[in-house]
Structures are given as C-alpha cells and as structure tokens.
Amino acid sequence: MLGFNHVLAGSITALLVPAPLVPLVAVASHFILDLSPHFGFPEGANPYAKPFRYVLILDGILCAVALAIGLVAFPDKWFMICVG
C-alpha cells in the first residue's frame, strides 16, 4: 500500500472527526486501508529494483506535498493532522 493513501486518510480523519477520537479512527482507517488490494509486483519480482525505488521516492514526495497542503489549508488543526 502506498503511503499517500494513508496520509490522505489521516488528514481527512483529522478534519472530520472530533479531536479525542482522531488517534483511534486513524489507526482503524490504517487497518481498513490495509484490507484493500495492495500495490505490488507479480510474485518473484524484486522489490529493490530501480522502478520500485522510483515509486517509493514519488510516493514520499506526494506524502510530503499532501501533508504540507493540509497544514497550510488548515493551520488551526496542524496537530490533529499530524496525529491523523
């Protein structure tokens, strides 16, 4: 599963759920996201191959951008967004 999905789910959770429940709902959403089909290669593929590293780098960049947008758009909820 790409991290970008988790960042979006955590950020949206932080915006929609009351503050005391954010950690619980964020953990629950993590497990729900992990139940969905995962990104991956056919069995036997090398996860350390260059294309996979490029996907991980792009995913990290998208995670940072999504988090930055959430923090800039909702500065009053910065802590809950980070918790989510």
Side-chain angles (χ1 to χ4, degrees):
M1 175 70 55
L2 296 175
F4 182 64
N5 300 343
H6 290 277
V7 169
L8 287 179
S11 298
I12 291 169
T13 298
L15 297 175
L16 298 178
V17 175
L21 296 176
V22 169
L24 297 174
V25 175
V27 169
S29 74
H30 172 82
F31 289 110
I32 291 169
L33 285 171
D34 281 346
L35 289 174
S36 65
H38 279 55
F39 174 83
F41 294 104
E43 287 190 38
N46 182 5
Y48 301 105
K50 255 188 186 176
F52 189 70
R53 281 188 272 167
Y54 292 142
V55 169
L56 290 179
I57 291 169
L58 178 62
D59 186 46
I61 291 169
L62 288 174
C63 288
V65 168
L67 189 59
I69 289 171
L71 295 175
V72 169
F74 301 97
D76 57 322
K77 295 193 176 223
W78 71 271
F79 184 70
M80 284 295 109
I81 290 174
C82 290
V83 168

